[in-house]
């Protein structure tokens, strides 16, 4: 058997109390806030939050459970279509009670019970309250160097940190100056000239050697001995290729031999 509620009943009997709370819940979901006595607001709050929990489930059984309390289908539709999804991320506490002044006539304590807003981040709510935005984090400054210099006389560790920072800054400054001077004089930072001597044309010498080799093979295929010109051209091309491979320029005046007509 359910435990009876402590305190006096709101109506003449249990059935009357259930009807009163059902009507209060219907008005709350329809208008989002109502004004009533503190006793009725405190008794309505657990019932309203239980119905909102059913609306968050959204299944057929939950809808039938809600309709045993709220008989207005339009209010039930609003509860399941608007109020339930609005509190999907909130684990509880869907209503708020705000006490107001006493009522005229019988001096009964009055209160306003209303639905709370959607659950938002704490930072957003704080920004709205202050009407300001949280400032972005600033980049680190040279405060570490200043602290190390101030404490250098007190601790050898701090002195070592300060000296290492100064050495790093001096090295960075000197490297920047060297790069700027090299860019102005046209030399590399290590002293090597910026303009490197042109390498010998290795591809041209290789092509001449290949042409001479093709001419020799063609002559051997015809059964005749290679001429002196072809031999000299082949030798010069081979020497030029060897010189180019080791970094020497081929001799000037050597022209590639032409292929014979038979090749």
């Amino acid at each position: 058997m359910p435990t009876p509620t402590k305190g006096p009943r709101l109506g003449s009997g249990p059935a009357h109390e259930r009807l009163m709370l059902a009507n209060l819940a219907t008005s709350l979901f329809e208008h989002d806030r109502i004004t009533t006595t503190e006793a009725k607001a405190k008794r309505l709050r657990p019932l309203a939050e239980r119905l909102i929990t059913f609306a968050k489930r959204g299944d057929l059984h939950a809808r039938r459970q809600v309709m045993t309390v709220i008989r207005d289908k339009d209010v039930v539709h609003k509860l399941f279509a608007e109020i339930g999804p609005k509190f999907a991320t909130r684990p509880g506490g869907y209503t708020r009670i705000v006490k107001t002044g006493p009522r005229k006539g019988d001096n009964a304590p009055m209160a306003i019970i209303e639905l709370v807003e959607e659950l938002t981040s704490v930072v957003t709510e704080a920004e709205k309250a202050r009407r300001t935005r949280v400032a972005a984090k600033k980049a680190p400054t040279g405060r570490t160097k200043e602290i190390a210099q101030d404490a250098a006389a007190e601790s050898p560790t701090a002195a070592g940190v300060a000296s290492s920072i100064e050495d790093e800054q001096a090295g960075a400054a000197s490297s920047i100056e060297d790069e700027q001077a090299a860019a102005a004089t046209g030399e590399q930072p290590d002293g090597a000239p910026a303009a490197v001597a042109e390498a010998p044309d290795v591809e041209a010498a290789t092509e001449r050697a290949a042409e001479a080799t093709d001419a020799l093979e063609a002559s051997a295929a015809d059964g005749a001995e290679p001429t002196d010109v072809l031999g000299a051209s082949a030798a010069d091309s081979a020497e030029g290729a060897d010189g180019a491979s080791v970094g020497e320029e081929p001799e000037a005046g050597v022209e590639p031999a032409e292929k014979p007509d038979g090749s």
Side-chain angles (χ1 to χ4, degrees), residues 25-33 72 75 78 83:
T26 303
S27 300
L28 175 63
F29 296 143
E30 183 179 1
H31 304 287
D32 293 340
R33 61 182 298 173
D72 192 343
V75 176
K78 179 182 178 181
I83 300 176

Side-chain angles (χ1 to χ4, degrees), residues 1 4 8 25 42 69 98 124-125 130 142 152 171 178 180 215 230 244:
M1 183 174 180
K42 290 179 180 179
V69 178
V98 180
T124 306
E125 292 180 356
R130 295 193 308 266
D178 294 340
Q180 292 177 353
L230 292 177

Side-chain angles (χ1 to χ4, degrees), residues 145-159:
K145 178 183 176 181
E146 297 177 0
I147 295 174
Q149 290 177 352
D150 295 340
E154 300 178 359
S155 173
T157 305

Side-chain angles (χ1 to χ4, degrees), residues 41-202:
K42 290 179 180 179
R43 295 290 297 276
L44 173 61
R45 186 173 189 176
L47 176 63
E49 295 194 356
R50 181 169 176 266
L51 296 177
I52 293 174
T53 304
F54 279 123
K56 288 174 62 177
R57 284 171 47 186
D59 55 356
L60 180 60
H61 179 65
R63 186 179 292 268
R64 288 176 175 172
Q65 291 288 102
V66 171
M67 292 194 68
T68 59
V69 178
I70 300 175
R71 303 306 178 105
D72 192 343
K73 293 184 178 180
D74 295 335
V75 176
V76 173
H77 175 74
K78 179 182 178 181
L79 179 62
F80 278 81
E82 300 178 10
I83 300 176
K86 184 174 72 172
F87 296 119
T89 58
R90 184 182 288 272
Y94 313 118
T95 59
R96 179 191 299 116
I97 296 176
V98 180
K99 295 180 181 181
T100 60
R103 184 169 56 186
K104 288 184 179 182
D106 59 353
N107 203 28
M110 303 297 292
I112 297 175
I113 180 170
E114 59 183 357
L115 301 177
V116 299
E117 295 81 7
E118 297 181 11
L119 182 63
T120 56
S121 63
V122 179
V123 176
T124 306
E125 292 180 356
E127 289 177 354
K128 288 181 179 179
R130 295 193 308 266
R131 297 181 181 178
T132 57
R133 292 186 178 180
V134 178
K137 294 183 178 180
K138 297 181 180 180
T141 60
R143 184 60 179 167
T144 305
K145 178 183 176 181
E146 297 177 0
I147 295 174
Q149 290 177 352
D150 295 340
E154 300 178 359
S155 173
T157 305
V161 172
S163 61
S164 62
I165 293 175
E166 291 178 357
D167 294 340
E168 292 178 359
Q169 292 180 351
S174 61
S175 62
I176 293 173
E177 292 177 357
D178 294 340
E179 292 178 359
Q180 292 177 353
T185 57
E187 296 182 354
Q188 298 294 337
D190 55 354
V196 182
E198 296 181 357
D201 195 354
V202 181

